[in-house]
Amino acid sequence: MAIQLSRHILGQSKMSRLFITLWVSSTIVDGQSPTQGDILDSPSPPTTSPVKDIVDTSPPTNSPTVTPSLSPSSPPSLTPTLSQAPSREPTDRPSSSATPSQNPSNVPSMSPTLSFTPSAAPIQYSRPTRVDIRYIPWNELDPENQKIAMNLDYTNTTWNEYGANPIEESSWEDLTTEQTGNASLLGYDMKSWDCWINHYE
């Protein structure tokens, strides 16, 4: 048995002989004699060479795979994606941007916009000259002008109270030929009558 054990030991490397010697010594100390089967079944010493990393040997291809990847590509696309629907719901508050948008909205606002400046150029208007005789009290009119005023249905009361005579509610075009004749004698024409007597009513 010692001869067989020696042959077996000679066939091992230095590391193996040292490991078996230590194992045999520990077995003898425990009161048991190792057998040839025990030596052959003994665990082999650990290897000292490192395990090589697994390397993917497949080269990369220039064509994409058939199925898309789970993660998106890093570079963005060159053309944007057009969408007919808005990206988000409209808000009740204006945007925080300090400058207004360049394009007007297609939908009118619910409330009008107040402005202290006119929206269009003012219409050129020249007021006709006032006929001063109408503002002279009745008792200061000469009898001729009082007669002309009476032909226009004026009295002492209606002459001194502006707007009391119903004829003042008529425009120049609504007056009869006789009435426009008497008004002309007092110094009125179409523009001055409609402005100072009828007040464009």
Side-chain angles (χ1 to χ4, degrees):
M1 181 177 179
I3 295 173
Q4 293 178 353
L5 180 59
S6 298
R7 290 178 179 177
H8 185 76
I9 293 176
L10 291 176
Q12 302 296 324
S13 62
K14 293 181 180 181
M15 180 72 70
S16 299
R17 288 198 298 271
L18 178 60
F19 178 77
I20 294 176
T21 302
L22 293 176
W23 178 77
V24 171
S25 300
S26 62
T27 305
I28 296 173
V29 170
D30 293 338
Q32 299 176 358
S33 297
T35 61
Q36 183 178 2
D38 294 333
I39 295 175
L40 295 177
D41 296 336
S42 62
S44 60
T47 59
T48 57
S49 60
V51 179
K52 296 183 179 181
D53 296 333
I54 300 174
V55 179
D56 187 7
T57 58
S58 59
T61 60
N62 295 325
S63 59
T65 57
V66 178
T67 57
S69 59
L70 297 179
S71 59
S73 58
S74 55
S77 58
L78 297 178
T79 57
T81 303
L82 299 179
S83 176
Q84 300 297 330
S87 57
R88 56 182 300 180
E89 295 294 331
T91 60
D92 296 332
R93 297 181 179 180
S95 59
S96 58
S97 176
T99 56
S101 59
Q102 298 296 328
N103 299 325
S105 59
N106 296 326
V107 182
S109 58
M110 300 300 296
S111 58
T113 304
L114 299 179
S115 175
F116 296 98
T117 57
S119 57
I123 301 174
Q124 187 175 2
Y125 169 75
S126 59
R127 186 172 60 179
T129 305
R130 188 182 72 167
V131 179
D132 293 334
I133 193 175
R134 177 65 183 84
Y135 303 97
I136 298 175
W138 179 266
N139 57 1
E140 295 181 8
L141 291 176
D142 56 70
E144 184 179 356
N145 288 328
Q146 286 183 354
K147 184 179 180 179
I148 296 173
M150 291 174 64
N151 292 333
L152 294 173
D153 299 330
Y154 280 104
T155 63
N156 182 16
T157 304
T158 58
W159 180 266
N160 291 332
E161 184 179 351
Y162 304 117
N165 190 353
I167 197 174
E168 296 183 358
E169 298 178 1
S170 302
S171 64
W172 183 269
E173 293 181 350
D174 295 334
L175 298 177
T176 64
T177 304
E178 182 181 357
Q179 289 173 335
T180 56
N182 286 285
S184 297
L185 294 175
L186 293 176
Y188 286 100
D189 57 11
M190 179 182 290
K191 290 184 178 179
S192 58
W193 177 272
D194 290 343
C195 177
W196 296 102
I197 300 298
N198 178 250
H199 304 290
Y200 299 105
E201 294 180 358

